[in-house]
Amino acid sequence: MAKTTVSERARNFGAESRGLLPLAAGTLLILLGLLCAWQTWLIADEDGAKQRLHGAQDEAVRSLQGEIAIERGKIVEAVAGVDPAADRDTLIAQLHRALPQASRIEVYSGSLDEVVHADYRQFGYAKAAQLLAAQTAEGQTLMQTVADGAARQLTLVVPLGVPAKPQAWVWLAFPFTALQQRFESIRVPNGRLELHQEDDRNDRFLLESGSDHSQREATGKPVPGSAFSVVAAPPEAFIVLPRSAWLAGLLALLGIGGGGYLLWRRNRQPAEVATPEPEEPILSNVFENKSETVAPVSARPAPAPAPVAVAVDPTIFRAYDVRGIVGKTLTVEVARLLGQSIGTVMREKGLREIVVGRDGRLSGPELAGALSDGLRAAGIDVIDVGAVPTPVVYYAAYRFNTGSGVAVTGSHNPPDYNGFKIVVGGETLSEGAIQDLYRRIAENRLESDGQGSVRHVDVVPDYIERITSDVQAERRLKIVVDCGNGIPGAVAPQVLEGIGCDVIPLYCEVDGTFPNHHPDPSDPHNLEDLIMAVKQTGADLGVAFDGDGDRLGVVTREGEIVFPDRTLMLFARDVLSRQPGATIIYDVKCTGHLRGQILDAGGSPLMWRTGHSLIKAKMRETQAELAGEMSGHFFFKERWYGFDDGIYAGARLLEILAGDLEERTPEQIFATCPKGVSTPELKIEMTEGEHYRFIEKFRQSATFGDATLTTIDGVRADWPDGWGLVRPSNTTPILVLRFDADNAVALKRIQDVFREQLFAVDKTLKLPF
């Protein structure tokens, strides 16, 4: 038997391997084609699945509307049949006979005085809000639900007598069971339906039906005649291809067709004939061919990374956050790339975990999801804390020891804006670090190993417990809390109740369209409703929060707006009483009286640039115990963590006011903080980037005589009797101006000087003063 040489075995193995390659490739292509075919079916059915779920949603709304109409009809008929002149006990007895299914019936005066002055903790916040809302309701009042121990009650307020001027108000409660059965009887094909109560700040989520754990839609369909809405959560199909049925179908055909062709060619191809092994070379042949050398293979450089296909607008990368218009400069793909860029920076710093949260804007869930996808693609583990105020994201970064967090928020900007506030390794990114994120995206220097995980955590109870366990009001104050339909409405009232205050909620229902007023307490127009509510309810104070909860506004019972720089005076006195000599930072927009107040309290005042990330960086550098901005950002390091938190600042303010040893009113306490004649923040709108160019020209050309100039952030001119400021906003393309003086004459003089200098740069400016 002839021996098989090593070279023969190698050739045979190579021939067999080459024969297997078409088989493997064809089989793989067919499997990929089948996968694409399955994806085609999922994509084609996606809209159908959503339509079926929305059909069930419509059916649930109609069913609940019918049940509510039946109950309302019985109640209205019963109330119309009683004697309005009868005493309260007789009225209640008559109504119980007509409505035996009612679990509770209560009658209140037409003026609702007993509700306005009630102890809401005992009376019930939800019931008080429902009764007070009935006074101003146009048309029929809304049916809603309140918690009664472990059970729920369906409640309604109806007028007794003439609706325009009722003699009394009747509040009725019924078992929630019938409405619950109606909702749960709806067949949900795929996905999930949820029943929410839009104006119940303590428990907006009521019921759910269905089993898929998918992301619910941002808005639900209202149930007419009630405060309820039905929210749909469409099923999330496992789709990995672009959502195009024709493209997925084409890929399926190419995969199955190409794989079939390779297998057909393999079966028709003749067996490979082994070529005879060449004879071993003899010595003469070696010498004859020794001059024939093999050309060396050149080492090619590694190919440069492909450019990013998505066009990213560099103008959304601002001085201390990333912010743009949803669907235009800020898209889901931009959010995903930003997540990858942040993740890449974290990987370089040896960080592997980050907290992600979002505010109440409608675009929040989609953008936060895309951001998390990008972070995970970069190998970062994500802790998703859901819809929470920005300070809760910062708190969670401390609570879970990540040192990193991203708040997806548009802050106080219009509803079509959204953005990202970013902390990496304990540092809030700003200026150069923000621009570095853009450069990484533009140059495609992004990590993409895809190994990151995600887990969902509810950190709000822990945040509330952390504050209320340390901050307490020594006497009860009645407070109106205006959240402007921003995300603080889900947290702030609970915090302020927890420290011992009686809270009257105003616009605390989270609604990303901001239907009542814009959530920006730095604009006096946005505080008009709060001032009215404080006066009507006889509250001690009113507090307001911006859209993501990191800023605080304050109004007194007399309707005075307490500017944040005066609030900072109270905070500085309080902190310095325990931390003598501490550094207190304030921004260039704050009153000139603040410096003297800090010095008088034994502190070290430091003026710095405006911007939450810039202030926090300066706090770390100087080890400051407290900082504040005229915009309403307050940063407590003493007893807290050094980040800006409007909700925590509100709790600390109420602790100071309620702990006054002389038990002075808030007005009397604020009267100790000096004030001159000042303006709020005045704004001049410009095109994107123009405001920066204007300030540069203004800084070079403006002259202010003997004034002391500060140019760390715009131009501020200080005189002995007042000051003026013009600076570029780093969040929107506007110039921000503010003036403050000891009296009206000095204020006008300073404004005239600034007016002359501003017109010297641009005569077409439309000045707001």
Side-chain angles (χ1 to χ4, degrees), residues 565 568 585-591 594 606-611 615 628-631 681 713 716 725 727:
D565 49 4
L568 184 58
I585 298 175
Y586 55 96
D587 77 326
V588 295
K589 294 185 291 183
C590 288
T591 176
L594 187 54
L606 175 62
M607 183 188 294
W608 193 238
R609 300 169 60 192
T610 295
I615 292 285
E629 293 182 283
M630 184 60 195
S631 59
E681 292 185 12
D713 189 358
R716 172 169 169 153
L725 167 76
R727 61 173 294 274

Side-chain angles (χ1 to χ4, degrees), residues 169-220:
W169 294 93
V170 182
W171 183 84
L172 308 99
F174 298 84
F176 188 63
T177 311
L179 204 69
Q180 180 175 350
Q181 290 173 346
R182 284 263 193 165
F183 179 78
E184 293 177 345
S185 67
I186 303 299
R187 189 181 70 84
V188 182
N190 279 307
R192 186 175 74 255
L193 292 180
E194 295 180 358
L195 182 64
H196 287 246
Q197 179 165 287
E198 295 300 327
D199 60 346
D200 183 354
R201 61 183 172 80
N202 289 320
D203 187 11
R204 287 184 298 278
F205 170 80
L206 302 175
L207 300 170
E208 69 175 355
S209 180
S211 57
D212 288 74
H213 296 285
S214 47
Q215 182 68 46
R216 65 172 177 256
E217 294 176 345
T219 57

Side-chain angles (χ1 to χ4, degrees), residues 278-463:
E279 296 179 357
E280 291 186 10
I282 59 176
L283 189 60
S284 61
N285 290 337
V286 172
F287 280 109
E288 289 173 4
N289 296 322
K290 65 180 179 180
S291 62
E292 298 177 10
T293 59
V294 179
V297 179
S298 61
R300 297 182 179 179
V308 177
V310 179
V312 179
D313 187 343
T315 63
I316 69 174
F317 293 80
R318 300 175 182 269
Y320 37 82
D321 58 18
V322 178
R323 191 173 301 177
I325 301 174
V326 176
K328 295 181 180 179
T329 57
L330 184 56
T331 64
V332 169
E333 187 58 26
V334 170
R336 187 188 65 79
L337 290 171
L338 178 64
Q340 272 189 274
S341 186
I342 296 169
T344 302
V345 173
M346 291 179 63
R347 290 284 296 272
E348 292 174 1
K349 294 177 178 291
L351 305 169
R352 285 303 183 100
E353 194 170 40
I354 192 169
V355 173
V356 172
R358 65 180 190 275
D359 67 13
R361 290 170 184 259
L362 304 184
S363 58
E366 190 174 41
L367 291 176
L371 178 84
S372 295
D373 289 344
L375 287 162
R376 294 166 62 195
I380 302 299
D381 296 331
V382 174
I383 301 174
D384 187 340
V385 294
V388 296
T390 292
V392 176
V393 175
Y394 297 155
Y395 172 77
Y398 283 91
R399 171 68 176 79
F400 300 115
N401 199 32
T402 68
S404 303
V406 180
V408 181
T409 173
S411 187
H412 62 281
N413 287 81
D416 57 343
Y417 274 76
N418 215 325
F420 308 87
K421 295 179 179 178
I422 307 160
V423 180
V424 174
E427 176 189 357
T428 302
L429 300 193
S430 64
E431 298 184 319
I434 295 286
Q435 293 303 315
D436 178 61
L437 295 177
Y438 170 72
R439 286 192 294 271
R440 290 172 184 272
I441 295 172
E443 298 167 8
N444 198 25
R445 293 185 288 113
L446 305 173
E447 292 281 353
S448 57
D449 65 8
Q451 300 299 311
S453 65
V454 62
R455 59 189 175 107
H456 299 270
V457 178
D458 182 7
V459 74
V460 169
D462 193 75
Y463 171 82

Side-chain angles (χ1 to χ4, degrees), residues 672-716:
T672 66
C673 301
K675 66 174 180 177
V677 180
S678 62
T679 68
E681 292 185 12
L682 306 174
K683 299 174 182 178
I684 301 175
E685 295 186 1
M686 293 187 166
T687 58
E688 189 67 55
E690 182 187 359
H691 58 316
Y692 291 119
R693 292 189 291 272
F694 180 93
I695 285 293
E696 192 57 36
K697 293 179 182 178
F698 187 79
R699 183 183 288 115
Q700 293 174 4
S701 65
T703 57
F704 292 96
D706 60 348
T708 301
L709 295 186
T710 303
T711 58
I712 56 174
D713 189 358
V715 176
R716 172 169 169 153

